[in-house]
Amino acid sequence: MSKNTKVNAAILIIGNEILSGRTQDTNTSTLATWLNSIGVKVNEVRIIPDQEDIIIETLNLLRKSNNYVFTTGGIGPTHDDITAQSVAKAFGLKYELHKEGYKILEAYYQPGEFNEGRQKMIWMPANADLILNPTSGAPGFSVENVFCLPGVPSIMKSMLGGLKNKIVGGEPILSYTISLKTVESEIANSLTKVQEENQDVEIGSYPFFHAGKLGVSIVLRSENKSKIDQCNSQILKFVNDKKIEVVDR
């Protein structure tokens, strides 16, 4: 895959605790930021329950329409951690104890601590590749273009470094932000014209209210810095013409 190739991914967040509101999802932001930095654009994010048929159906759909799929959650030791066996069924693979994973966890725990519950964490689809875990020992795994990571944010984040040689991205996706003291309705028409003239730059408009200040942040995203610079110049021109205050850039 060359650097000029457009590479995309989907993120699949698995967990009833996310859907109930009990746990706040931060893994999406962490994964998306990391993927953008290595030239992988996130096409979509889905949050689904710990339900086997839904996991299988959603995973099969996403893995066929994206270069990569990243799942988080459901690979722990409890009864509702069913991601690994669901992935095995989605690929039509046997669900079995991973011998290398067993050795890793057996060495990680003190004698007598590697109980049946912890052993569940190294049951995976047959021939899955391990994703090493420098924080808590229990590895994640990958099958073809699907990468399964734990739901605990700090652990998930610590495992991303081990994926760098497994993910082939395109050019890093660059981002530049201009914050204005204005409202969206004041700049909507001008911003639309800039977008029409710069199809290769993704332009986002995001209102904010901070420290008593009402404003709009304009975010420019592209693999090409010169195109971002060109877009930025056009925005600053209409901002100056309208005498809009630039809060930060």
Side-chain angles (χ1 to χ4, degrees):
M1 204 175 290
S2 71
K3 281 288 186 180
N4 293 324
T5 303
K6 300 292 185 181
V7 186
N8 56 50
I11 297 173
L12 182 58
I13 307 295
I14 302 170
N16 294 335
E17 70 277 10
I18 302 295
L19 290 169
S20 70
R22 182 182 181 278
T23 301
Q24 184 177 4
D25 168 46
T26 60
N27 288 330
T28 295
S29 175
T30 299
L31 270 171
T33 299
W34 177 73
L35 288 167
N36 284 337
S37 74
I38 59 173
V40 179
K41 182 180 180 180
V42 177
N43 273 347
E44 61 179 308
V45 179
R46 300 197 187 193
I47 303 175
I48 61 174
D50 299 296
Q51 189 172 324
E52 185 179 271
D53 59 338
I54 295 178
I55 296 173
I56 293 170
E57 179 183 0
T58 308
L59 184 61
N60 279 334
L61 176 66
L62 295 178
R63 70 187 179 93
K64 292 173 184 175
S65 56
N66 293 274
N67 298 113
Y68 300 108
V69 179
F70 294 84
T71 78
T72 73
I75 59 173
T78 59
H79 70 283
D80 57 347
D81 289 313
I82 61 170
T83 296
Q85 67 188 67
S86 299
V87 173
K89 289 185 178 182
F91 280 93
L93 296 172
K94 186 178 179 181
Y95 178 60
E96 62 185 19
L97 184 145
H98 194 290
K99 293 180 180 179
E100 183 185 352
Y102 187 94
K103 291 177 181 178
I104 289 172
L105 275 195
E106 187 178 38
Y108 181 83
Y109 289 108
Q110 296 296 321
E113 291 184 350
F114 191 31
N115 56 35
E116 185 178 347
R118 286 168 172 158
Q119 290 177 27
K120 181 178 183 291
M121 294 188 289
I122 39 85
W123 279 75
M124 301 173 183
N127 300 316
D129 292 323
L130 296 182
I131 303 172
L132 297 183
N133 177 352
T135 302
S136 62
F141 65 90
S142 64
V143 179
E144 295 184 12
N145 65 334
V146 175
F147 296 80
C148 299
L149 298 162
V152 179
S154 59
I155 299 176
M156 190 278 295
K157 186 176 182 180
S158 74
M159 295 169 68
L160 296 180
L163 292 178
K164 284 187 177 179
N165 295 328
K166 298 182 179 182
I167 307 298
V168 179
E171 291 293 338
I173 301 167
L174 307 175
S175 178
Y176 184 77
T177 302
I178 313 163
S179 294
L180 309 174
K181 189 177 180 180
T182 187
V183 293
E184 285 189 300
S185 58
E186 188 176 354
I187 61 172
N189 290 338
S190 299
L191 201 57
T192 298
K193 291 178 182 177
V194 174
Q195 180 68 91
E196 289 172 349
E197 295 174 9
N198 297 272
Q199 295 295 320
D200 292 334
V201 179
E202 179 185 309
I203 304 176
S205 174
Y206 308 100
F208 67 83
F209 185 77
H210 179 67
K213 293 182 178 180
L214 181 67
V216 177
S217 289
I218 301 173
V219 180
L220 313 177
R221 299 177 75 246
S222 174
E223 297 93 347
N224 191 315
K225 185 178 182 301
S226 64
K227 291 182 178 180
I228 288 180
D229 291 342
Q230 176 182 307
C231 192
N232 178 50
S233 296
Q234 293 176 12
I235 290 172
L236 290 179
K237 183 179 185 307
F238 79 67
V239 164
N240 290 331
D241 290 345
K242 293 176 178 290
K243 295 182 171 53
I244 297 172
E245 180 183 344
V246 178
V247 179
D248 187 29
R249 60 180 175 177

